[in-house]
Amino acid sequence: MPRVLVLVAQRIALGCLLLLTISILIFAGTEILPGDVAEAILGRTATPENLENLRRELGLNEPTYVRYFQWLCGMFQGDLGSALSSGADISEAVGYRLKNTLFLAAFASVLSIPLAILLGLIAVRYKNRFFDKLISALTLAAISLPEFFIGYVLILLFGVQLAWLPTVSIVGEDMSIGQRLTVTILPGVTLSLVVLAHMMRMTRAAILNVIEAAYIETAELKGLGKFSVIYKHALPNALSPIVNVVTLNMAYLIVGVVVVEVVFVYPGMGQYFVDHVAKRDVPVVQACGLIFAAIYILLNLVADIISILSNPRLAHPK
Amino acid sequence: MHIWGISPGAFFGLLFCSGIVLSAIFAPLITPYGEAEIVGGVWEPISQKHWLGTDNLGRDLLSRIIYGARTTLTIAAAATLVSFTLGAALGMIAAEAGGFVDQFMSRCVDLLMSIPTLIFALVVLSVMPGTILTLILVMGILDSTRVYRLARAVAVDIRVMDYVEAAKLRGEGRAWIILHEILPNAISTLIAEFGLRFIFMVLFLSALSFLGLGIQPPEADWGGMVKENKAGIVFGIPAALAPAAMIAMLAISVNLIADWILNRTSSLRGKSADA
């Protein structure tokens, strides 16, 4: 079997193992609290008999590891149980909200990834000159700004003062794609700005790292223009570090999405997660935590695989 | 351009940070009104009586921001301290012990770092009692993973130095070597990192409070104040922006200072290497 495939298979296996460990961690972590779900549901109306009945009904008398496997199997089958606070089916709520969140995240990625790479290239091209310094100063300021600050400034400016865009991003099922995009612009731009700053700084560092190599000097000495040196020689070699940078910044995207959704009252996973953490609704928190973790691990896996596949040394073994 | 040998950016940063710290310390002396004192109407505009206007319950915004600096800075500093003590101690122990202990601790840290900190914090805070102590511990422990990695990396470099070898041959114990040889040599790198971790904590705490899971009202803290006043934004009332801007300014200031320190130490190193 080619070495590339072995490496890719190894990474996938490792990712699965990591996800399994995280699921144990999340389940165990939320099980350590004193009292249990039955007490939480019944509250003050609990008597020893109806507590016992409810526990039997919910399967809480089973040992912890049995409940863990039941929970995990349910997860795989798309059955996330029901929320404590409302009794509603979690899968249904998550399905609708996950779509919204992915739409928002995709919007932000489409906006920020090409822009970050472009700005990174420009900063390297004009290294230590005015343009580079300007971009560096702006990104330093941007990574210091909390997401809610950027969000509220944008709302105040474009939503209230100029009244170009809606101030609250309410998404309905029957919205056309145009309406949906209009509603997503402000939260999408906020999220992009946060991610963009981090991503651009790292892209600049990654390209600078490659640019110091000897073959770049050769390319310059043989008379290639600055942009074609970057485009033909530096960029292909910088591809794998850039992919890495992009996925590393997905962490900011995932964290950012939680805060930005709350700022814009956007009906996504982040808002749902935070609401139920405040209500101490353990089944929802477990499900959301695992979904966020799974998305993050998956993104890292994709980055690993892309950097393996884009490495010519692995594709043409000696 | 330089003021007393300090770059203008860092000078501004130092000025702003010392201003914030001083006003936090002397909060009761300089604030015109009390922390939870209702002194006027809801969301009054900026006036001579209320320099920044009033908040969602008619409390003086400026006074609350100054009191908020106290809460935010103290808790962020406490969490940074937990994170540093824990991370540095474990990192150095791992580097010095090596072998299985090192492998085990490093894999645990990898595991904790494999999902974003905020997500982890939300899961943990959903079952823990909502006290300030829990908050400090959760933030400190989750962040200590980054300090652990740094401390371990620095200590791995130091422990192969001749003076550590000499101490080992003298028959000193592991604890002695960590405390007397590794720690003093690693401390400057760790202190440089302290500022950045501290500002990360301020942002982290503010995000948690903004989500309603950090410091609970009526105590003022900057993230919580943004949450309290956020309903006014859609009516064009900028009260929520004042505490948010304070967080942003503090973060920019600390970043500017840290940037300057890093540049300065690296240029000093460059000079000594030439000589």
Side-chain angles (χ1 to χ4, degrees), chain B residues 40-45 54-59 237:
Chain B
V42 172
W43 284 321
E44 275 179 24
T54 58
D55 75 353
N56 64 327
L57 295 178
R59 294 167 294 193
I237 296 155

Side-chain angles (χ1 to χ4, degrees), chain A residues 246-296:
Chain A
V246 168
T247 38
L248 267 180
N249 285 291
M250 291 299 145
Y252 296 105
L253 193 69
I254 289 177
V255 170
V257 116
V258 175
V259 178
V260 167
E261 279 179 7
V262 174
V263 169
F264 288 92
V265 203
Y266 185 88
M269 283 287 290
Q271 175 101 42
Y272 185 64
F273 191 16
V274 170
D275 280 350
H276 288 83
V277 171
K279 288 181 196 157
R280 297 178 172 257
D281 193 330
V282 175
V284 179
V285 171
Q286 286 172 336
C288 290
L290 193 62
I291 291 171
F292 272 110
I295 294 175
Y296 186 61

Side-chain angles (χ1 to χ4, degrees), chain B residues 86-118:
Chain B
L86 199 67
L90 291 181
M92 286 177 198
I93 289 172
E96 178 50 35
F100 174 74
V101 178
D102 183 19
Q103 281 293 322
F104 178 74
M105 292 208 294
S106 296
R107 293 297 81 76
C108 285
V109 165
D110 286 350
L111 189 65
L112 281 182
M113 288 181 89
S114 67
I115 47 179
T117 320
L118 182 71

Side-chain angles (χ1 to χ4, degrees), chain A residues 18 21-22 25 29-30 140 144-146 148-149 152-153 155-156 160 167 255 262-263 273-274 277-278 280 285 292-293 296, chain B residues 111 114-116 118 120 122-123 126-128 130 203 210-211 213 226 230 233-234 236 241 244-245 247-248 251-252 255:
Chain A
L18 186 61
T21 324
I22 291 288
L25 210 60
T30 44
L140 181 71
S144 311
L145 301 179
F148 47 78
F149 180 70
Y152 285 132
V153 168
I155 292 183
L156 211 53
V160 180
T167 52
V255 170
V262 174
V263 169
F273 191 16
V274 170
V277 171
R280 297 178 172 257
V285 171
F292 272 110
Y296 186 61
Chain B
L111 189 65
S114 67
I115 47 179
L118 182 71
F120 225 130
L122 288 182
V123 171
S126 74
V127 292
M128 300 290 272
L203 290 172
F210 171 72
L211 296 176
L213 305 164
V226 178
K230 69 180 179 182
I233 289 281
V234 291
L241 285 186
I247 300 166
I252 293 176
N255 268 326

Side-chain angles (χ1 to χ4, degrees), chain A residues 141-154 156 259 263, chain B residues 16 20 52 61 64-65 68-69 72 199 202-203 206-207 210 221-230 233 237-253:
Chain A
I143 56 172
S144 311
L145 301 179
E147 295 91 349
F148 47 78
F149 180 70
I150 302 179
Y152 285 132
V153 168
L154 289 181
L156 211 53
V259 178
V263 169
Chain B
F16 188 80
I20 294 282
L52 288 176
L61 202 56
R64 268 183 86 71
I65 283 187
T72 303
I199 205 60
V202 170
L203 290 172
S206 307
F210 171 72
D221 90 291
W222 291 347
M225 289 173 66
V226 178
K227 179 190 163 66
E228 288 164 9
N229 292 302
K230 69 180 179 182
I233 289 281
I237 296 155
L241 285 186
M246 293 302 285
I247 300 166
M249 296 268 282
L250 182 66
I252 293 176
S253 304

